[in-house]
Amino acid sequence: MNLSVVVSTHQASFEAVSFKGSVGDSMAAVAAAGYDGVELAVRNAGEVRAEEISSLAARYGLSVPAIGTGQMWGEERLSLTSEDAAVREAILGRLDEHIALAADLDALVIIGLVRGVFPREEMRETAAGWLVEGLGAVGESAARAGVRVALEGINRYETAYANGVADSLELLDRVGNDSIGLLLDTFHMNIEEPDMAESIRIAGDRVFHFHVADSNRWYPGAGHIDFRELVETLASIGYDGWISGEFVPKPDGPTSIRKGIEHMRPIVTATTG
Ligand code: LER
Ligand code: MN
């Protein structure tokens, strides 16, 4: 298992990213702190040049394991469950650009809040159908490009769809596309899962990506989540993907990424050798 941390390619409004803005500067800091990769939060993938990112990543010896898409919801209110059919169509086009970028960078694409948030009560069933359809289209497009997609369980206060492992797996079953798996995020799991380790075991080989933040969404080690137990459980299900830090830059960005890796690296090394 390798360690990465989330940085944004632009001045994102989402709080839980370590650095925003200049990707080169962010990568330099992330590499210096000892991480193996950077996960990129990208609002407009069409404006990001894959060659530029690849050459910067190579310069700093970093991989790019995943591309986040949530800023399209956060800043443009685009979603797979918009009541506006034109928006549902538009988001598929935008996600295709993320998929193309991910193919070039050998990354996976994250589906977080672009699924949408809270449908009007009378729209619940219809919106759930749109989500299944939308994820189906994203999955087909990703499969054609040889890219994997990770649907993130997000807590009940941020969205009504796919909060935990149980309802996310149910949704994936309805979609029926093996290119789509799960992203588990310890911040959300701490709210939604009765037993986080057991939920990892239930998700099993559907776990495609893993976000870590502590219970207070600070860096791992700043709260009360037992990361050793979770990493050991990931190893026990055969997970050998990325553990990506997605936490608030507190007390400041550089300190948070340093403290985060000081907590996680020994655990990963002790677990996986
Ligand atoms: C994004 O990865 C995430 O965890 C969400 O909280 C976005 O709102
Ligand atoms: Mn997350």
Side-chain angles (χ1 to χ4, degrees), residues 3 35 210 212-213 219-221 227-228 230-231 234 243 245 247 258-271:
L3 295 172
Y35 287 85
F210 202 78
V212 284
Y219 56 83
F227 288 97
R228 181 171 301 275
L230 300 186
V231 172
L234 284 169
I243 296 184
F247 39 77
R258 180 173 54 77
K259 295 242 187 199
I261 200 163
E262 275 171 14
H263 193 75
M264 293 306 298
R265 183 69 84 190
I267 291 174
V268 169
T269 306
T271 306

Side-chain angles (χ1 to χ4, degrees), residues 6 14 16 39 68 70-71 73 110 112-113 152-155 158 183 185 187-188 211 217 246:
V6 181
F14 181 48
E39 176 180 322
Q71 307 311 309
W73 165 257
I110 295 170
L113 285 179
E152 177 170 32
I154 293 183
N155 78 75
E158 294 189 47
L183 159 52
D185 179 326
F187 172 72
H188 301 298
H211 276 169
R217 219 172 199 179
E246 185 190 53

Side-chain angles (χ1 to χ4, degrees), residues 8 13 34 36 52 78 80 89 166 197 206 219 246:
S8 177
S13 57
D36 311 300
E52 203 176 299
L78 297 178
L80 293 168
E89 185 65 34
R206 307 309 304 269
Y219 56 83
E246 185 190 53

Side-chain angles (χ1 to χ4, degrees), residues 18-62:
S18 297
F19 297 109
K20 302 175 181 182
S22 160
V23 183
D25 291 352
S26 301
M27 285 195 193
V30 167
Y35 287 85
D36 311 300
V38 270
E39 176 180 322
L40 299 177
V42 177
R43 181 168 66 78
N44 192 342
E47 286 176 0
V48 175
R49 292 192 27 242
E51 322 80 67
E52 203 176 299
I53 299 288
S54 299
S55 72
L56 280 170
R59 182 187 312 164
Y60 294 110
L62 295 169

Side-chain angles (χ1 to χ4, degrees), residues 11-263:
Q11 291 296 333
S13 57
F14 181 48
E15 213 195 345
V17 293
S18 297
F19 297 109
K20 302 175 181 182
S22 160
V23 183
D25 291 352
S26 301
M27 285 195 193
V30 167
Y35 287 85
D36 311 300
V38 270
E39 176 180 322
L40 299 177
V42 177
R43 181 168 66 78
N44 192 342
E47 286 176 0
V48 175
R49 292 192 27 242
E51 322 80 67
E52 203 176 299
I53 299 288
S54 299
S55 72
L56 280 170
R59 182 187 312 164
Y60 294 110
L62 295 169
S63 299
V64 180
I67 312 272
T69 57
Q71 307 311 309
M72 288 191 286
W73 165 257
E75 288 159 36
E76 299 178 58
R77 291 295 183 259
L78 297 178
S79 89
L80 293 168
T81 53
S82 168
E83 288 186 35
D84 182 343
V87 171
R88 297 199 302 278
E89 185 65 34
I91 187 75
L92 292 178
R94 292 285 295 278
L95 283 168
D96 276 346
E97 294 181 340
H98 279 83
I99 290 168
L101 177 64
D104 286 344
L105 297 174
D106 199 19
L108 57 73
V109 170
I110 295 170
I111 301 290
L113 285 179
V114 285
R115 65 176 62 38
V117 289
F118 301 105
R120 286 188 291 131
E121 191 49 41
E122 63 275 27
M123 296 302 290
R124 276 190 87 85
E125 278 310 301
T126 310
W130 288 333
L131 182 53
V132 172
E133 251 175 60
L135 286 174
V138 171
E140 276 172 32
S141 188
R144 274 196 300 276
V147 166
R148 296 196 309 160
V149 173
L151 173 72
E152 177 170 32
I154 293 183
N155 78 75
R156 68 192 68 183
Y157 305 109
E158 294 189 47
T159 178
Y161 308 102
N163 302 122
V165 165
D167 54 345
S168 299
L169 285 175
E170 229 175 81
L171 180 58
L172 289 194
D173 280 349
R174 281 183 72 186
V175 176
N177 185 319
D178 290 344
S179 298
I180 313 182
L182 296 182
L183 159 52
L184 305 185
D185 179 326
T186 58
F187 172 72
H188 301 298
M189 293 180 88
N190 186 50
I191 296 170
E192 295 296 335
E193 308 300 334
D195 175 339
M196 292 165 72
E198 182 57 15
S199 295
I200 291 172
R201 281 189 285 272
I202 290 169
D205 62 5
R206 307 309 304 269
V207 182
F208 281 11
H209 196 54
F210 202 78
H211 276 169
V212 284
D214 219 318
S215 46
N216 44 12
R217 219 172 199 179
W218 281 46
Y219 56 83
H224 57 73
I225 290 177
D226 182 350
F227 288 97
R228 181 171 301 275
E229 184 195 18
L230 300 186
V231 172
E232 285 171 1
T233 308
L234 284 169
S236 78
I237 61 161
Y239 181 76
D240 66 353
W242 287 79
I243 296 184
S244 203
E246 185 190 53
F247 39 77
V248 293
K250 289 186 178 166
D252 57 71
T255 305
S256 66
I257 64 167
R258 180 173 54 77
K259 295 242 187 199
I261 200 163
E262 275 171 14
H263 193 75

